[in-house]
Amino acid sequence: MNGPTRREALLLAASAIAAPGFTAMPAFAQETPKRGGVMTVHFATEQRILNPSLQASTGVYIVGGKIQEPLVDLDSAGNPSPVLAESWESSADGKTITFRLRQGVTWHDGKPFTSADVQFTAMEMWKKILNYSTALQQFLTAVDTPDAHTAVFRYERPMPLGLLLRALPDLGYVSPKHIYEGTDIRANPANTAPIGTGPFKFVQYERGQFIIAERNPTYWRPNLPYLDRIVWRVVTDRSAAAAQMEAGQILFSPYSSLTIADSQRLGRDPRFEVTTRGNEGNARTNTLEFNFRRTELADVRVRRAIAHAINIPFFIENFLGDFAKPGTGPIPSVSTDYYPGADVPQYGFDKAAANRLLDEAGFRRGAGGLRFTLRLTPAPWGEDIALFSTYIQQSLSEVGIRIEIVRLDAAGFLRTVYREHDFDLATGWHQYRSDPAVSTTVWYRSGSPVGAPWTNQFGWQNDAADKLMDDAATEVDPVKRRALYADFVRLVQTELPVWMPIEQLFLSTFNKKLKNTGNNPRWASSSWHDTWLDS
Amino acid sequence: MRLLGLAARRLAASLPALLLILIGLFLLLQLAPGDTVDALMAQMGGGDERIATELRVFYGLDLSVPARLGQYLLRLVQLDLGYSAIYGKPVATVILERLPATLLLMTASLSFAFAFGAVLGVVAARRVNRWPDTLISTLGLIFYATPSFWFGLMAIVVFSVHLQWLPAGGFGDVALGLTGFAAVLDIAKHLVLPTLTLALIYLAISLRIMRAAMLEVLTLDFVRTARAKGLTETRVVARHVLRNALLPMITLIGLQVGTMLGGSVVVESVFTLPGLGRLAYESVVQRDLNTLLGIAFVSALLVIAANFIVDMLYARLDPRISSGG
């Protein structure tokens, strides 16, 4: 039904003969976009705020990313592309970065968008409130506004332009100064009724039910967006969400929000597409975190033995299906600019090696073949984490390590692992955000304040690693930066304070009536200005 | 006047219980690891320590536990339920927004369970140990034994996905923007499946209670007297047996109101209805103490009110109860 019509198929065949180079062009590129329609989206977790200048999380982008816009987004090839900023340049020393802003853009309330908005958002939100951005922008000293359409970012230490441009699609959403200035930013009503410059205007947020946004008639991209409305439906039950997809009540479910079984089932149904396409910018790795306060785990041989004892390819094949692959370190393979390849220390499945390492470390098997007992605390998000924790438990019992699984909910997990350090092993996700300096090196950098989640709370400290991370974060030369990160990966794969053995992309489930989907690496978070609905 | 006196006494007796429930819940939630800022951090996907500290001040978590409990009780005396951390609105508003869905679902399910339970119970009792009785009792057992989330999901698969007769979830179709009678009809359509799902288990209980009560009353002396007077069997059942057999059913309803408030979490999640059950669940996960205590408060009030009504109904059905004082 949704394939090419006879006529289109003939045309395609004709063009295939005429120009063999273009045969790969998909059929939908030939279709003329239709205007109108309501796109319904699965909204799995209720959010406290919807403004992406204040909270960097997928749950916020899925809504706020259609209403507010960043300075820069990623294009289909994953390169920075202009949105509210038209062009950018860095000074030679990397301490001054100038953005030329788009003219003729207005906020949804009719006020013009100017450099004052960028200045205000950068200094008051990105630097002070926005998670991950506070670290990224800690050396930002001022934003100058020589005119209404130029914003000059001044840094105390060099800021690599590549890092900033890769971070800004997520951490560069602009908020209106005239709404926020002089108010308590965290309590501002616009946090849940956002005002932006994006293709859709906020209409209504009915807690526990739905959010509605409608077409912005004065959007700066001419004749866009195609859709009349977007309705996000709050559905917390995963199976119910799959049923609503099948009943046509939801057209798009983002970020792996359905169960693995339902995703596989819908993937075989011709009405739907289940894919990682459009999530390349949102890679995550499964973690195994070691608490160095346990003497056994402070020994690198024990950590390596644990890694050797777990058969990752088997786990992936039997539990996760086609949508995961073995990881090779903290920088995932989708990050082409920084991925150092698999040529760094790896820990393949080898039970004999695991037993030998444990013996060498002095933890010989005692009564019942038991060496020692550890508590494993799995993060409560993601079905794969629960499965992985059970798999770890069974794998390690084979080499004489008994695992007690301690299950907690989200608040309990963060408190117990990252603040109270009351765990031996923990397993969860590391979220890679386009550049290692945003959310990856914090897993390894020592000196992180107690309680900061997803940071090095493991009691591991390595001066060489710390220096590599610090140098790379301010290295302006992209080639040198890449080399520093390769050294970093090699070092942490040798020492293994955290093991990141599985690499995954989020799954999107589309109803095939939706067109122009997944056409950039952070599609679920992006603005959907060119998405359209086939009736 | 007597009625008012009874009401006042009832209310006075439930006040200490209410206070104990609230204080108990407050302290219990302190035992749960993590606070609402940890929950928010989990949702945010991380953030540095300074942000967490600022947020704790923002949510008033920097004070000691006794100080916060004292503050809460002081506000409660002034009938102020406080401010919800997740929703950024006064708790009273949040609960009022959710109350209609819960009340509607509860009333519809209870009425359905009561009415059909009574009818099926009577039918089963009149044909005791014959095939209608066996059929009804077996059905009752199946309804009673099957978990409601499974019923809900199967109902969605059959009626929404395959037959496409009824919507799979939600509380009205927001995409259509209906008003007036069309909107009422739309909500009714959305409530059919959840009402049936929630009602089935209670239907099973009521039909069994009704059947047992009927069988018991049918053996009593006054029934024999009525039959001896030459009344038809239908008249005996309708006028003499039914009224007496209804008393246990009324008791049951009073008890079920309380269970149903909690039991609807599952049905509300499966059918994505914006009710109190889901709100309570969300509040626990997000450690939103004010909202949770507010829900406990309102639920307790609802249960007290329901039991009060039940007491009044007793008095009406059986005049001996009110005269006994």
Side-chain angles (χ1 to χ4, degrees):
Chain A
M1 208 166 68
N2 289 314
T5 62
R6 226 178 99 97
R7 200 182 131 86
E8 281 168 336
L10 281 173
L11 282 172
L12 273 173
S15 64
I17 297 161
F22 286 95
T23 47
M25 185 96 85
F28 62 78
Q30 310 269 325
E31 293 175 288
T32 321
K34 295 193 177 81
R35 289 180 74 81
V38 180
M39 175 173 171
T40 43
V41 183
H42 177 199
F43 192 54
T45 43
E46 195 121 31
Q47 300 293 320
R48 300 188 196 190
I49 60 171
L50 299 175
N51 180 345
S53 332
L54 295 173
Q55 183 175 320
S57 67
T58 50
V60 172
Y61 299 138
I62 189 73
V63 180
K66 330 301 162 219
I67 296 162
Q68 291 180 246
E69 289 180 303
L71 289 178
V72 181
D73 208 336
L74 299 177
D75 66 13
S76 54
N79 295 315
S81 73
V83 183
L84 288 179
E86 284 187 311
S87 65
W88 42 83
E89 62 193 9
S90 171
S91 63
D93 64 358
K95 291 185 177 177
T96 307
I97 294 175
T98 307
F99 289 95
R100 306 248 171 252
L101 306 178
R102 194 171 294 281
Q103 308 206 8
V105 176
T106 54
W107 295 101
H108 292 156
D109 62 2
K111 299 257 180 11
F113 158 76
T114 68
S115 55
D117 296 310
V118 176
Q119 180 192 47
F120 179 82
T121 311
M123 297 308 290
E124 301 301 322
M125 298 180 178
W126 300 351
K127 191 176 162 62
K128 290 184 183 165
I129 297 176
L130 181 63
N131 50 324
Y132 290 111
S133 182
T134 52
L136 179 79
Q137 305 286 10
Q138 61 178 318
F139 299 115
L140 176 70
T141 51
V143 176
D144 297 344
T145 52
D147 62 60
H149 299 285
T150 309
V152 183
F153 284 58
R154 300 203 179 279
Y155 289 93
E156 199 180 310
R157 295 192 194 170
M159 166 62 85
L161 185 62
L163 164 60
L164 188 64
L165 291 178
R166 280 197 159 59
L168 281 183
D170 273 354
L171 305 178
Y173 281 87
V174 185
S175 284
K177 180 182 179 181
H178 62 276
I179 299 287
Y180 281 96
E181 194 179 27
T183 67
D184 177 357
I185 291 178
R186 287 187 202 280
N188 195 297
N191 294 349
T192 47
I195 293 167
T197 56
F200 296 94
K201 283 165 83 162
F202 174 84
V203 177
Q204 191 187 0
Y205 184 1
E206 202 63 51
R207 295 288 188 158
Q209 293 194 65
F210 56 82
I211 304 171
I212 301 178
E214 65 183 10
R215 178 207 304 274
N216 172 9
T218 57
Y219 188 48
W220 55 268
R221 289 188 222 249
N223 301 319
L224 291 173
Y226 295 121
L227 297 164
D228 286 339
R229 283 185 152 205
I230 303 176
V231 175
W232 292 264
R233 304 181 71 113
V234 179
V235 184
T236 45
D237 187 90
R238 287 157 173 260
S239 307
Q244 294 203 12
M245 288 253 8
E246 287 186 275
Q249 283 191 318
I250 291 176
L251 298 178
F252 169 49
S253 176
Y255 307 127
S256 306
S257 310
L258 306 179
T259 63
I260 295 176
D262 276 332
S263 301
Q264 287 171 341
R265 190 168 56 83
L266 293 183
R268 290 190 294 269
D269 188 322
R271 290 173 296 164
F272 305 105
E273 185 190 5
V274 179
T275 178
T276 58
R277 180 170 51 81
N279 293 323
E280 296 83 356
N282 261 322
R284 63 179 197 266
T285 60
N286 288 69
T287 60
L288 185 58
E289 301 155 38
F290 302 100
N291 191 347
F292 280 64
R293 294 163 193 92
R294 275 291 295 244
T295 44
E296 294 93 333
L297 295 175
D299 188 325
V300 70
R301 288 171 296 193
V302 174
R303 300 195 296 275
R304 288 174 184 161
I306 288 175
H308 276 306
I310 301 168
N311 188 346
I312 295 298
F314 179 87
F315 174 71
I316 291 175
E317 197 188 321
N318 291 285
F319 293 90
L320 304 182
D322 304 331
F323 303 113
K325 60 179 188 177
T328 55
I331 300 180
S333 60
V334 285
S335 173
T336 42
D337 285 353
Y338 299 110
Y339 179 61
D343 187 23
V344 290
Q346 300 296 331
Y347 302 90
F349 178 56
D350 186 346
K351 235 171 14 177
N355 278 314
R356 195 180 60 243
L357 282 165
L358 288 167
D359 286 341
E360 278 172 23
F363 302 106
R364 302 203 164 269
R365 285 182 190 260
L370 184 72
R371 298 178 196 273
F372 50 85
T373 302
L374 296 172
R375 285 167 307 155
L376 169 64
T377 312
W381 35 87
E383 211 181 337
D384 56 322
I385 299 174
L387 292 170
F388 193 42
S389 64
T390 315
Y391 188 68
I392 293 170
Q393 183 181 42
Q394 292 178 1
S395 303
L396 293 187
S397 75
E398 302 263 309
V399 295
I401 301 174
R402 197 160 71 100
I403 297 288
E404 286 166 6
I405 295 182
V406 183
R407 294 195 194 280
L408 298 164
D409 70 359
F413 176 80
L414 289 198
R415 170 67 58 112
T416 308
V417 173
Y418 298 110
R419 182 176 299 279
E420 290 165 358
H421 305 145
D422 185 16
F423 71 106
D424 298 329
L425 297 172
T427 180
W429 290 337
H430 146 243
Q431 196 83 40
Y432 184 78
R433 299 185 184 227
S434 302
D435 188 289
V438 181
S439 59
T440 301
T441 49
V442 289
W443 283 82
Y444 300 91
R445 182 70 175 86
S446 67
S448 178
V450 170
W454 299 289
T455 65
N456 178 357
Q457 300 290 334
F458 316 118
W460 181 68
Q461 208 253 321
N462 184 304
D463 293 337
D466 285 350
K467 186 170 178 333
L468 279 172
M469 289 182 257
D470 295 348
D471 289 351
T474 52
E475 176 56 63
V476 187
D477 180 353
V479 179
K480 284 186 195 157
R481 209 160 166 250
R482 184 190 171 100
L484 285 170
Y485 280 124
D487 291 344
F488 157 75
V489 171
R490 197 162 296 116
L491 180 62
V492 299
Q493 279 295 99
T494 309
E495 291 296 321
L496 217 63
V498 183
W499 188 38
M500 301 199 179
I502 302 169
E503 189 178 315
Q504 300 192 67
L505 293 179
F506 279 115
L507 281 185
S508 296
T509 307
F510 298 110
N511 187 309
K512 285 187 183 162
K513 279 185 195 166
L514 278 180
K515 304 289 173 179
N516 269 353
T517 54
N519 54 11
N520 69 59
R522 56 188 293 278
W523 188 78
S525 300
S526 72
S527 73
W528 300 347
H529 62 266
D530 61 348
T531 304
W532 59 279
L533 191 60
D534 200 2
S535 40
Chain B
M1 216 40 229
R2 276 257 313 270
L3 195 77
L4 271 180
L6 186 59
R9 253 186 297 133
R10 281 249 145 208
L11 212 62
S14 41
L15 268 180
L18 197 58
L19 195 68
L20 277 178
I21 290 173
L22 291 178
I23 295 177
L25 252 182
F26 186 95
L27 295 177
L28 261 181
L29 227 81
Q30 302 304 322
L31 292 180
D35 56 23
T36 192
V37 172
D38 289 313
L40 179 59
M41 279 289 181
Q43 214 178 54
M44 285 162 66
D48 64 35
E49 189 49 23
R50 198 172 47 79
I51 296 178
T53 314
E54 278 172 22
L55 281 169
R56 287 210 165 82
V57 174
F58 180 73
Y59 288 123
L61 292 173
D62 47 339
L63 301 173
S64 69
V65 174
R68 274 188 288 145
L69 180 59
Q71 263 184 2
Y72 185 81
L73 293 176
L74 197 69
R75 277 203 314 263
L76 198 65
V77 173
Q78 303 154 20
L79 289 179
D80 174 7
L81 291 177
Y83 212 71
S84 158
I86 338 172
Y87 294 95
K89 292 193 242 190
V91 170
T93 317
V94 174
I95 291 177
L96 272 181
E97 284 171 0
R98 297 293 188 104
L99 211 51
T102 295
L103 286 181
L104 209 56
L105 181 65
M106 209 172 70
T107 320
S109 302
L110 271 183
S111 321
F112 179 87
F114 183 80
F116 281 79
V119 169
L120 290 175
V122 170
V123 172
R126 288 198 61 184
R127 305 268 186 283
V128 67
N129 293 334
R130 307 231 302 271
W131 72 264
D133 180 33
T134 317
L135 180 73
I136 289 170
S137 298
T138 313
L139 269 183
L141 205 63
I142 292 174
F143 291 158
Y144 189 69
T146 316
S148 53
F149 74 88
W150 188 83
F151 259 130
L153 286 172
M154 287 307 114
I156 293 177
V157 168
V158 174
F159 294 106
S160 309
V161 176
H162 287 293
L163 297 173
Q164 309 228 330
W165 290 352
L166 292 164
F171 191 62
D173 200 330
V174 279
L176 298 178
L178 299 169
T179 50
F181 183 67
V184 173
L185 207 67
D186 186 46
I187 290 178
K189 252 170 76 180
H190 279 84
L191 276 180
V192 172
L193 291 183
T195 302
L196 289 182
T197 307
L198 187 60
L200 281 183
I201 196 165
Y202 296 102
L203 172 77
I205 299 173
S206 352
L207 89 84
R208 290 199 69 86
I209 298 270
M210 191 68 201
R211 179 177 174 274
M214 285 288 291
L215 288 178
E216 197 191 322
V217 177
L218 274 169
T219 61
L220 295 181
D221 289 344
F222 73 91
V223 178
R224 196 176 307 131
T225 312
R227 283 188 182 133
K229 280 197 301 189
L231 295 178
T232 61
E233 187 63 16
T234 313
R235 209 174 153 76
V236 170
V237 169
R239 295 290 303 252
H240 295 270
V241 184
L242 196 60
R243 188 166 175 166
N244 284 289
L246 271 178
L247 273 182
M249 288 284 278
I250 305 283
T251 318
L252 195 66
I253 286 203
L255 291 173
Q256 282 179 346
V257 169
T259 341
M260 237 181 208
L261 275 175
S264 54
V265 179
V266 172
V267 171
E268 283 169 15
S269 301
V270 168
F271 290 99
T272 56
L273 292 174
L276 278 186
R278 246 175 80 207
L279 185 68
Y281 177 76
E282 191 88 353
S283 314
V284 174
V285 171
Q286 301 255 351
R287 306 283 192 274
D288 186 350
L289 202 59
N290 281 351
T291 308
L292 191 66
L293 292 174
I295 296 168
F297 185 71
V298 171
S299 302
L301 288 184
L302 279 180
V303 172
I304 290 169
N307 281 302
F308 182 67
I309 294 172
V310 166
D311 283 351
M312 300 296 112
L313 275 178
Y314 274 159
R316 209 170 140 53
L317 278 176
D318 188 345
R320 284 172 301 181
I321 292 177
S322 56
S323 62

